[in-house]
Amino acid sequence: MPQFALPPQPPVPVSARPALSASATPLATPVARRRAVVRRPARMLVFASEYKLQPSRRVVPAGRVIIQTKNIGEDDHNLAVRAANGHVLKVTPVIRSGGLATLRLSLRPGRYWLVCTIPGHEAHGMVRAFIVKRPVPKVVKRVRKGT
Amino acid sequence: MPRTTKADLEAERLLWRAGFGPAPGEAKRLGRLGRRRAVEQLLAPKGRALGGRPARIDGGPLDPVNAYGHDVLWWLDRAARTRHPLAERMTLNWHDHFATSNEKVGDVKLMMRQYWLLRNYGLGSFRALTKRILRDGAMQMFLDLAGSEKGSPNENFARELFELFTLGVNNGYTERDIREAARALTGFTFDYDTKRFGFDPDRHDRGVKRVFGKRGRFTPEDIIDLAINHPKHAPYLCEKLWHYFTPLPVPPRTLKQMVSTYRRSGTEIRPVLRIILTHPSLYADLTSPHQVKPPVVYAAGMLRRTNTRIADESWIHLLDEMGQRPFHPPNVAGWDQDDAWLTPATISARFDAASMLVQKRVKDGSISASQSPQRAIAAARKATGDPQISKRTALAMQRYAVASVKGRTDDWEVKHYFPERQRVLRHVLLAGPDAQVC
Ligand SMILES: [Cu+2]
């Protein structure tokens, strides 16, 4: 098959790209490659029941995190992420018995709280702390040329 | 196509009943050993436990502890890649026997620890296995053993220990035996903050209890011994083990033989399995199989036969629809086996799983009009591990292989209908009536 060199193209804003058209394909590849380098979001799984929260981990690396909450109790619950200053960063809708809800957020290092904000539940014990830590930087050895 | 011998058929049967079905070529290899040596190889597996490529979701490995549903994929992945089929299959059987669900435990790490307990000790002594289960964190939470204390003992574990784990429903014990055993089983503790399990002698009822007519200051381990030494235990367990491998009734003489072997060996599981797996009943009706494959066996079997790795999360949903999610049995009694697996809804999910597999493998435009009906059938057989099929199925496939592409000569028709024929043929081999049983 003959190889055609693509002329250099100016970056096209996403909104201007025609969806699913052939002309969008040459641009899509380098974008996908670049994304693969980005660290995948950290994951946490929380089980909620009467009246406790069971998170799958206590320490999460800073950056994007996906928190899934499964209600294994009989009553309704929800899950909020609260910062140390008391500010609620995100909260799921009410999760019915057996239901699953997902929160996506980006967190800086520090101490946070998982809470069920349904009245009375936090006081009954539905609150747990977790810590966000700066990810340990990978030691990259520099390859020096010519030495 | 290589001729199929009786030895091949026996090996194929053995690998489905005592494992997760053959990977391509596996039945032939095992068949060459003969029945006895094949069973010995399954009973004492050597070498690496897993082959093939591990599951990968969204460009990363499974994260069973932190990502919802990955626990189910993790189990399926191990079943699909196992090189120790019987050890892995017994883990699933013991999971059914000592059924524990994360729907109550809420901690995948604890569930996985229980998996390893069953996997590592599932072929050894039943007494030792049950004593480990007694101390297992997931079980202690599931049946409320942790936190059960003197003065207000929880009876859940004592009841299931007799009713499901060792004796059978109403088989040689009374309500009073359960109450007294529950007293002996007090003292276990769990702290949610530190996640530590323990035993607090001050919360243990040290008084005299009366169980099965015997009196003593029984400890939790004593209760396990009393249940396993009960005369009704050995027949109950041996018959239950038998039925994990065949729906046919156990001949009374064989049951006697299993029971005496089990007792003489000191509750060893391996010698009982040896009797079951070499018994003629297991190889009855080789060409008209009669056991319904459990969903995990069916799904893992498909992945093995087609050499496919798990690459997306849809298996979580599919297994749920088929009626068997490992780590999530429906109740303490485990899953209803055999014919109960098949309902209109579960069958439809079984079809969907096969559709997903063939759709990904055979794309439109990938097969030319020169492919003859015979070549199409041969290709489909090869791609699905060359399974046993009935004469009826073979005939139907032949008719279909001719009729489905007849008169399809336009370019667009060839592009679609020749691959479609291949997809349908593979689907029949993966999910047709023959593929549901073993
Ligand atoms: Cu709540």
Side-chain angles (χ1 to χ4, degrees):
Chain A
M1 212 194 269
Q3 294 287 316
F4 297 104
L6 285 167
Q9 292 183 17
V12 181
V14 174
S15 57
R17 284 181 208 155
L20 286 173
S21 85
S23 66
T25 314
L27 281 171
T29 312
V31 170
R33 269 204 202 120
R34 222 177 299 138
R35 273 180 57 185
V37 178
V38 177
R39 187 175 62 81
R40 292 185 308 138
R43 308 281 303 245
M44 192 199 299
L45 178 56
V46 183
F47 291 92
S49 58
E50 295 76 47
Y51 288 96
K52 59 181 194 272
L53 294 172
Q54 295 169 265
S56 62
R57 60 202 293 185
R58 285 172 184 196
V59 179
V60 174
R64 289 182 304 150
V65 56
I66 298 176
I67 303 177
Q68 289 173 300
T69 305
K70 172 81 179 173
N71 181 354
I72 58 170
E74 280 161 17
D75 303 343
D76 293 351
H77 297 290
N78 72 10
L79 189 89
V81 176
R82 201 161 64 194
N85 63 12
H87 187 66
V88 169
L89 303 178
K90 262 195 181 168
V91 59
T92 67
V94 168
I95 312 168
R96 306 222 172 274
S97 174
L100 180 75
T102 304
L103 289 181
R104 285 161 204 278
L105 54 181
S106 204
L107 298 175
R108 291 171 193 211
R111 193 177 164 81
Y112 296 81
W113 298 89
L114 301 167
V115 273
C116 174
T117 63
I118 287 175
H121 287 199
E122 181 178 352
H124 273 95
M126 296 192 73
V127 53
R128 301 284 292 211
F130 73 100
I131 293 170
V132 174
K133 278 192 177 163
R134 212 177 302 283
V136 184
K138 272 187 190 160
V139 183
V140 182
K141 279 185 190 164
R142 286 219 181 128
V143 182
R144 280 190 221 156
K145 285 177 194 166
T147 50
Chain B
M1 202 164 295
R3 202 171 65 88
T4 304
T5 64
K6 181 157 181 267
D8 298 339
L9 288 175
E10 283 203 356
E12 190 173 336
R13 165 69 59 88
L14 181 62
L15 282 166
W16 279 112
R17 297 282 182 91
F20 298 88
E26 198 180 358
K28 270 248 175 266
R29 275 198 306 279
L30 202 67
R32 275 199 284 272
L33 297 179
R35 193 190 288 181
R36 291 213 151 259
R37 279 171 60 212
V39 168
E40 290 310 317
Q41 196 176 85
L42 295 185
L43 285 169
K46 290 189 190 77
R48 275 172 49 219
L50 299 176
R53 297 170 307 157
R56 237 179 136 68
I57 305 289
D58 298 334
L62 294 179
D63 189 356
V65 171
N66 299 302
Y68 182 76
H70 283 211
D71 54 342
V72 174
L73 298 180
W74 182 83
W75 195 305
L76 181 64
D77 181 62
R78 292 191 57 88
R81 293 166 55 217
T82 188
R83 295 158 140 236
H84 300 173
L86 178 63
E88 192 64 36
R89 181 66 182 270
M90 279 307 292
T91 310
L92 185 63
N93 294 344
W94 288 129
H95 180 34
D96 175 75
H97 183 81
F98 292 112
T100 304
S101 174
N102 201 37
E103 301 292 317
K104 176 163 174 180
V105 175
D107 187 329
V108 182
K109 269 188 202 156
L110 286 180
M111 296 301 294
M112 288 172 78
R113 214 175 290 163
Q114 190 187 74
Y115 166 92
W116 285 114
L117 194 168
L118 301 173
R119 178 70 171 77
N120 291 334
Y121 301 98
L123 298 178
S125 144
F126 183 78
R127 192 186 299 271
L129 178 65
T130 310
K131 285 184 182 175
R132 285 180 191 276
I133 279 288
L134 165 73
R135 299 263 170 179
D136 174 65
M139 177 60 84
Q140 289 210 344
M141 288 180 63
F142 188 61
L143 291 181
D144 307 296
L145 201 51
S148 177
E149 55 181 34
K150 182 169 68 182
S152 58
N154 188 303
E155 294 175 4
N156 283 352
F157 184 84
R159 183 177 303 280
E160 306 312 349
L161 175 69
F162 297 162
E163 185 173 317
L164 298 165
F165 303 162
T166 56
L167 297 174
V169 183
N170 296 324
N171 192 25
Y173 61 90
T174 64
E175 280 296 311
R176 188 184 162 170
D177 289 327
I178 293 173
R179 279 200 305 275
E180 293 283 283
R183 284 180 56 209
L185 288 160
T186 51
F188 292 107
T189 59
F190 178 65
D191 181 335
Y192 270 104
D193 289 319
T194 60
K195 293 199 166 194
R196 285 249 165 79
F197 289 89
F199 187 81
D200 180 354
D202 290 339
R203 296 177 197 220
H204 173 67
D205 184 338
R206 265 171 292 187
V208 172
K209 302 106 185 171
R210 193 185 160 88
V211 180
F212 307 145
K214 296 184 178 71
R215 291 167 55 87
R217 298 183 186 275
F218 298 130
T219 65
E221 270 76 8
D222 288 339
I223 297 300
I224 305 290
D225 283 327
L226 282 167
I228 287 178
N229 296 340
H230 192 294
K232 303 245 181 183
H233 163 65
Y236 166 74
L237 186 76
C238 291
E239 186 164 3
K240 184 154 184 194
L241 282 174
W242 172 270
H243 281 300
Y244 279 119
F245 299 95
T246 169
L248 299 178
V250 53
R253 272 188 53 198
T254 308
L255 183 58
K256 257 192 178 164
Q257 188 199 354
M258 286 195 285
V259 165
S260 73
T261 302
Y262 177 70
R263 285 184 179 142
R264 239 184 308 115
S265 70
T267 77
E268 284 295 314
I269 295 152
R270 243 187 217 97
V272 179
L273 296 182
R274 180 178 291 118
I275 294 173
I276 298 170
L277 297 177
T278 52
H279 195 277
S281 281
L282 199 83
Y283 305 93
D285 308 321
L286 278 181
T287 51
S288 52
H290 49 249
Q291 186 176 56
V292 177
K293 291 174 192 167
V296 172
V297 176
Y298 173 77
M302 271 186 186
L303 294 164
R304 290 172 80 78
R305 292 166 59 183
T306 56
N307 226 339
T308 308
R309 83 149 110 184
I310 294 170
D312 64 78
E313 291 180 331
S314 42
W315 288 104
I316 306 167
H317 175 70
L318 285 167
L319 277 176
D320 191 19
E321 298 280 296
M322 287 187 227
Q324 191 178 34
R325 272 188 311 154
F327 294 125
H328 304 264
N331 55 57
V332 284
W335 288 276
D336 286 340
Q337 306 277 334
D338 299 316
D339 297 356
W341 290 124
L342 297 183
T343 70
T346 61
I347 289 172
S348 145
R350 284 173 181 240
F351 286 2
D352 290 348
S355 305
M356 187 179 79
L357 277 181
V358 298
Q359 225 91 49
K360 283 191 178 155
R361 287 292 176 92
V362 190
K363 303 259 187 261
D364 270 9
S366 64
I367 295 172
S368 82
S370 67
Q371 188 184 51
S372 71
Q374 287 329 305
R375 291 259 307 275
I377 289 171
R381 295 194 72 122
K382 187 158 182 247
T384 55
D386 197 14
Q388 283 311 306
I389 52 167
S390 67
K391 278 192 183 133
R392 238 182 99 193
T393 305
L395 261 172
M397 282 173 64
Q398 249 151 41
R399 247 178 280 140
Y400 172 80
V402 174
S404 55
V405 293
K406 205 167 187 182
R408 308 285 192 194
T409 50
D410 286 357
D411 263 4
W412 73 269
E413 287 183 320
V414 169
K415 241 179 138 179
H416 174 68
Y417 284 101
F418 279 74
E420 181 66 3
R421 173 174 73 177
Q422 184 60 210
R423 288 191 286 262
V424 170
L425 290 172
R426 289 188 191 185
H427 196 277
V428 168
L429 292 168
L430 287 173
D434 305 311
Q436 304 302 335
V437 287
C438 65

